[in-house]
Amino acid sequence: MNTSNTTSLEYLQGQIERITYTNEENGYTVAKVKVRGRRDLVTVVGSIASPLAGQVLKMKGEWSNHPKFGEQFKAVFCECAVPATSAGIQRYLGSGLIKGIGPVMAKKIVSLFGDKTLDIIEHETDRLTEVDGIGQKRIEKIKKAWEEQKEIREVMLFLQGHGVSSTYASKIFKTYGKDSIKVVQDNPYRLATDIFGIGFITADNIAQKLGFSLESEFRIQAGILYVLHQLSDEGHVYYPRQDLARKAAEILKVDAELVDQQIDSLETLQYIVMESLPQQEQKAVYLAKYFYSETSIAAKLKKLIKAPKSIRQVDTDKALDWVQKTYGLNLAEKQAEAVRKALLDKILVITGGPGTGKSFLLNAILKIVSRLKVKILLAAPTGRAAKRMQESTGYEAKTIHRLLEFDFQKGGFKKNDEHPLNCDLLIVDEMSMVDTVLMHHLLKAVRMDTTLIMVGDVNQLPSVGPGNVLKDIINSGSVPVVELNEIFRQARESSIIVNAHMINQGRLPVLQPRQDKLDDFFFMQEEDPHKVLEKIKYIVMERIPQRFKLNPIDHVQVISPMNRGVVGVSNLNTELQACLNPQGQEIIRGGKTFRQGDKVMQIRNNYDKEVFNGDIGVITGLDLEEQEIKVRFYDRQVVYEYSDLDELVLAYAVSIHKSQGSDYPAVVIPLLTQHYIMLQKNLVYTGITRGKNLVVVIGTKKALAIAVKNAGTNERYTHLAGRLNHKIQEIT
């Protein structure tokens, strides 16, 4: 904390009773503090390093009166000390300080040793065997945790003196151990690349406090890589050199010439690859992994197209006749064309919107191919998509990550060009979600004689990760493509499907409910964001459960175009958690409250736990002693330590981007003009097609009209289509 100009400030000392809120990025904390001589708890706000219930705070600050929260003490200087009283020690130990001691065990220990407890743990740990329920095994765990805490505290004192929050300090210690301080002093910019959650901005703040120059080579190189990563988060596989230099110079506040020099240095260090592309005046700058991924995809597709297939040739007319007669199927013209191509061609793309019979078509292909006694594998990018694929085909389907089998020792996938997937036919669904890097790894594992069928809806949003793989493959003209565009009779009964296709055609959907039956698409006019929020809560909690008999946590998903704002994902989650899961055992980490029964989402790929970005689960248990949370994802239980919790967010509401590859019985979507920057046709189309049985849109017709008329998507810098065009010309 800033210690200047504190002579005129008031002094206050008290013990933390509970932490109401803490922001792990900047340490800002709201705490309830017991102050001697005051009957009520005092609300203290300010930056507090690693706050824990039970700690004693020695503060300087000033009193203020918040219009909503009342009297507060704003601390501008704060020092934490260990508690001296038995009650304080019990609260301190029970707040998650040491793995192995939770609230129940803390009470037992303090009941026996009183205010000598911390001395006993420090100097006579073996005496803890006197406590009922503590054996030698737990003592060893407590010893280890206590020693680790001492080492972490030393690192934390240094790091927090340079603006690093307690959670990040723990992650830094976990990564570098006793070398943490040396690593940070030598090159704090390593934190941005080595540790999830610490970005360039945080690393740069630390570096400035350590005296690094704004023109330091480390800083400029890290800044360029930061900008490239930010651009890849926007979907770009590469970025034009001069534009990149200009962006980086603005962020770094240095001369563009210095940035330009360090771009060359990064190429020498092999962090980036530069290439002159056709029709591009500027050189393309790739992060190395994206360059190798994109070029590898093009090269592998070229080889696959030329290689012979292991599935034997059959008479396609006889096969079509057999499958239709045997199973009573009636394939439309485009579907029949797709079946023929699937049997004749080495690679095939099948694309089409909802209700156009993609699943029906896949079943026909699978029935024919299975008669040929060949090995078939099915995959999709997400767990939900794989589960849906399995249910619709009757064949086992895996996520692409699980299909490729991650190797924890080597840090890569076990399935690759040396150990390919053992299959004659590989079908991948939801291809619009597959990004450049994942496609690279998938194709590496495809055997040369394997037939590859890619299925997806090219009109949906592109992948969250960089690239536009499905669209680029289609646009390249390099592989056969069948586009299904006929909506089948049964699908035409659904207003969701009819309206989705109208939106895709740039037409406003029908907003009046159909009178002839119970409709599945509803639009509610409302432009005030606060009223939209109240309607969402009412619909999710009461209207849908009452009318449609759906469980609001398991069956209803709120999806929003934006993360921020009153009806953005973040605030919606806070509000819906308070409504749907207001009580129960909880922990607060990084300003987020997690409770047993909460719906949560994983926000990064974690190969160790085998959970991936976008996976949704439910918290089934909180262990305060072991400092662990258990989450059930589909049919698997995954354990998270407290330090891993920045990988989880609440998922009562998710962004439309994150909802890709999933479908839900009921979907509720806020759509307002304040979402203007995100209002695009493919975004609304993707959102509406997430609903299986019910879609409710709450917002304004103007916002809907803006989205439907806005067909332009933010162009992504990729060169896959160009590389594939080049490859195909070589073949022919």
Side-chain angles (χ1 to χ4, degrees):
M1 266 191 195
N2 180 12
T3 59
S4 61
N5 301 320
T6 59
T7 51
S8 62
L9 300 174
E10 190 169 336
Y11 176 80
L12 191 71
Q13 179 173 321
Q15 181 177 291
I16 299 176
E17 287 293 307
R18 65 178 182 272
I19 309 295
T20 305
Y21 171 82
T22 183
N23 184 320
E24 294 292 354
E25 290 186 18
N26 56 25
Y28 179 80
T29 299
V30 180
K32 295 292 186 180
V33 177
K34 179 69 176 171
V35 176
R36 184 175 292 178
R38 281 182 166 258
R39 189 181 66 180
D40 296 328
L41 296 178
V42 172
T43 300
V44 171
V45 298
S47 184
I48 305 172
S50 313
L52 287 169
Q55 277 179 321
V56 174
L57 297 181
K58 297 176 181 178
M59 303 165 282
K60 282 186 179 179
E62 56 189 7
W63 293 95
S64 67
N65 209 320
H66 191 281
K68 184 176 179 181
F69 301 111
E71 188 182 55
Q72 297 179 339
F73 186 79
K74 288 187 174 179
V76 295
F77 169 79
C78 183
E79 182 182 333
C80 294
V82 295
T85 66
S86 296
I89 291 169
Q90 181 181 322
R91 191 173 289 276
Y92 181 60
L93 282 180
S95 65
L97 176 71
I98 303 172
K99 192 170 182 178
I101 300 179
V104 175
M105 191 54 67
K107 185 177 182 180
K108 286 184 179 182
I109 295 170
V110 176
S111 295
L112 188 61
F113 298 118
D115 57 12
K116 299 283 190 290
T117 296
L118 297 182
D119 283 334
I120 296 290
I121 293 173
E122 173 77 51
H123 302 293
E124 302 177 75
T125 321
D126 288 335
R127 285 195 60 194
L128 291 174
T129 52
E130 298 171 29
V131 179
D132 182 41
I134 295 186
Q136 199 57 43
K137 191 175 178 182
R138 185 176 289 216
I139 282 182
E140 291 306 314
K141 185 184 286 187
I142 291 169
K143 270 184 183 177
K144 184 182 175 186
W146 184 256
E147 286 303 313
E148 199 172 82
Q149 277 297 323
K150 283 165 65 179
E151 291 175 352
I152 289 174
R153 278 198 295 276
E154 182 186 340
V155 173
M156 278 184 173
L157 283 172
F158 169 79
L159 293 171
Q160 286 164 0
H162 295 90
V164 185
S165 74
S166 56
T167 293
Y168 292 159
S170 298
K171 282 178 171 286
I172 291 167
F173 183 81
K174 203 171 179 181
T175 304
Y176 305 122
K178 294 177 182 177
D179 295 329
S180 297
I181 293 174
K182 185 177 186 305
V183 168
V184 173
Q185 286 175 326
D186 289 348
N187 181 7
Y189 295 102
R190 277 186 61 182
L191 303 177
T193 52
D194 292 351
I195 299 170
F196 173 73
I198 298 184
F200 171 78
I201 303 299
T202 303
D204 197 35
N205 287 335
I206 297 167
Q208 298 311 301
K209 290 181 180 179
L210 287 168
F212 276 72
S213 163
L214 288 178
E215 297 183 353
S216 154
E217 288 184 9
F218 284 145
R219 180 174 187 267
I220 296 173
Q221 288 176 10
I224 294 165
L225 294 175
Y226 164 72
V227 172
L228 277 172
H229 281 292
Q230 292 289 103
L231 291 165
S232 72
D233 287 344
E234 294 173 18
H236 301 295
V237 180
Y238 73 86
Y239 211 70
R241 176 171 178 155
Q242 280 82 0
D243 296 344
L244 170 65
R246 192 162 46 249
K247 276 181 178 285
E250 286 173 10
I251 289 169
L252 294 167
K253 295 181 172 57
V254 298
D255 194 283
E257 284 185 20
L258 291 174
V259 174
D260 210 47
Q261 290 168 16
Q262 294 309 319
I263 289 176
D264 289 326
S265 298
L266 286 169
E267 184 180 35
T268 303
L269 293 166
Q270 298 184 342
Y271 284 104
I272 63 172
V273 176
M274 288 192 282
E275 187 181 27
S276 296
L277 299 178
Q279 286 83 51
Q280 282 282 357
E281 293 180 9
Q282 303 179 37
K283 271 194 170 183
V285 182
Y286 287 82
L287 285 165
K289 70 174 179 180
Y290 298 137
F291 175 79
Y292 294 120
S293 295
E294 188 177 83
T295 53
S296 164
I297 292 168
K300 186 62 182 274
L301 284 173
K302 170 188 174 180
K303 290 178 183 176
L304 277 173
I305 290 168
K306 290 195 293 185
K309 60 194 293 186
S310 59
I311 301 175
R312 64 182 172 85
Q313 293 290 349
V314 297
D315 185 318
T316 56
D317 288 334
K318 284 184 179 178
L320 275 165
D321 189 51
W322 171 82
V323 78
Q324 292 186 101
K325 284 181 178 175
T326 305
Y327 294 97
L329 305 180
N330 185 20
L331 294 170
E333 185 180 338
K334 283 280 188 180
Q335 290 177 321
E337 179 192 344
V339 171
R340 287 191 178 92
K341 286 183 178 296
L343 296 172
L344 293 172
D345 293 318
K346 190 72 186 310
I347 302 176
L348 174 65
V349 172
I350 299 170
T351 184
T356 57
K358 293 193 296 294
S359 297
F360 183 75
L361 167 59
L362 283 186
N363 273 310
I365 293 169
L366 286 167
K367 283 176 169 59
I368 294 170
V369 175
S370 62
R371 291 275 293 179
L372 303 175
K373 301 289 188 283
V374 298
K375 178 75 174 170
I376 301 166
L377 288 177
L378 273 57
T382 67
R384 278 182 178 269
K387 186 180 179 184
R388 192 174 67 244
M389 194 181 191
Q390 185 166 315
E391 288 170 349
S392 66
T393 63
Y395 282 77
E396 182 186 18
K398 295 182 179 180
T399 64
I400 296 172
H401 292 95
R402 291 204 176 94
L403 189 75
L404 298 178
E405 299 176 23
F406 193 74
D407 187 330
F408 300 107
Q409 290 183 330
K410 295 181 180 177
F413 290 111
K414 292 180 183 177
K415 297 297 182 184
N416 50 39
D417 41 9
E418 293 179 3
H419 305 283
L421 295 164
N422 179 26
C423 66
D424 303 291
L425 172 64
L426 173 62
I427 302 177
V428 185
D429 199 6
E430 293 290 354
M431 269 297 300
S432 63
M433 294 183 66
V434 178
D435 65 29
T436 300
V437 174
L438 187 56
M439 187 63 175
H440 155 67
H441 286 296
L442 178 64
L443 287 178
K444 267 181 75 176
V446 175
R447 212 171 60 197
M448 278 298 121
D449 60 353
T450 297
T451 296
L452 174 64
I453 297 177
M454 296 172 277
V455 185
D457 185 348
V458 75
N459 294 308
Q460 283 188 28
L461 288 167
S463 57
V464 174
N468 207 342
V469 173
L470 179 63
K471 186 177 180 183
D472 283 351
I473 290 173
I474 292 171
N475 289 347
S476 73
S478 61
V479 300
V481 177
V482 176
E483 182 179 0
L484 305 175
N485 45 31
E486 180 185 345
I487 308 176
F488 288 93
R489 184 179 57 79
Q490 190 174 353
R492 287 199 298 269
E493 295 294 308
S494 166
S495 294
I496 295 172
I497 290 173
V498 171
N499 281 337
H501 283 273
M502 290 178 73
I503 288 168
N504 194 36
Q505 293 159 11
R507 297 157 56 202
L508 272 173
V510 177
L511 302 182
Q512 293 299 320
R514 294 163 63 162
Q515 302 301 317
D516 57 329
K517 66 181 188 67
L518 185 64
D519 207 1
D520 58 5
F521 183 96
F522 295 89
F523 178 82
M524 299 177 70
Q525 176 76 22
E526 182 56 68
E527 58 184 336
D528 183 328
H530 295 280
K531 290 180 180 176
V532 171
L533 175 61
E534 291 308 310
K535 284 187 176 179
I536 289 172
K537 291 194 287 187
Y538 166 70
I539 288 166
V540 171
M541 288 180 64
E542 298 183 38
R543 190 72 177 131
I544 291 177
Q546 287 171 4
R547 186 173 182 189
F548 296 92
K549 311 303 179 193
L550 295 174
N551 180 299
I553 293 180
D554 295 336
H555 301 138
V556 183
Q557 185 63 57
V558 179
I559 56 178
S560 176
M562 300 282 279
N563 284 308
R564 296 178 181 175
V566 176
V567 288
V569 170
S570 180
N571 189 56
L572 281 167
N573 271 315
T574 301
E575 294 281 342
L576 290 168
Q577 183 192 43
C579 296
L580 296 170
N581 194 24
Q583 296 175 338
Q585 195 175 37
E586 67 178 37
I587 66 153
I588 301 172
R589 281 293 181 276
K592 295 182 289 191
T593 300
F594 293 108
R595 297 192 184 107
Q596 186 154 336
D598 272 338
K599 181 156 69 169
V600 292
M601 181 171 64
Q602 175 79 11
I603 57 169
R604 68 174 291 223
N605 290 338
N606 188 320
Y607 296 102
D608 189 29
K609 296 187 191 321
E610 288 192 74
V611 285
F612 304 102
N613 192 353
D615 283 354
I616 289 180
V618 174
I619 295 176
T620 55
L622 284 78
D623 190 326
L624 302 183
E625 284 192 8
E626 292 300 317
Q627 298 181 13
E628 292 175 346
I629 282 184
K630 292 177 182 174
V631 181
R632 189 188 74 248
F633 290 99
Y634 314 114
D635 55 349
R636 298 176 62 248
Q637 188 115 302
V638 178
V639 176
Y640 289 80
E641 293 186 3
Y642 283 3
S643 59
D644 298 327
L645 291 183
D646 57 350
E647 296 183 12
L648 288 178
V649 294
L650 293 175
Y652 298 102
V654 300
S655 69
I656 293 178
H657 273 92
K658 290 285 189 184
S659 73
Q660 279 181 272
S662 301
D663 59 18
Y664 313 93
V667 161
V668 181
I669 308 171
L671 203 66
L672 297 169
T673 49
Q674 65 177 216
H675 298 143
Y676 187 86
I677 193 170
M678 299 297 291
L679 292 179
Q680 294 172 345
K681 184 173 72 175
N682 62 354
L683 182 118
V684 177
Y685 172 78
T686 301
I688 286 173
T689 53
R690 298 312 90 202
K692 282 199 298 186
N693 309 117
L694 177 67
V695 171
V696 181
V697 178
I698 309 173
T700 65
K701 292 177 183 177
K702 183 179 179 181
L704 188 57
I706 290 169
V708 169
K709 299 301 177 188
N710 185 9
T713 56
N714 295 325
E715 198 60 37
R716 296 183 168 198
Y717 283 108
T718 77
H719 191 53
L720 180 59
R723 292 185 198 281
L724 286 169
N725 264 320
H726 176 64
K727 300 297 179 187
I728 297 309
Q729 286 163 13
E730 284 182 8
I731 295 167
T732 55

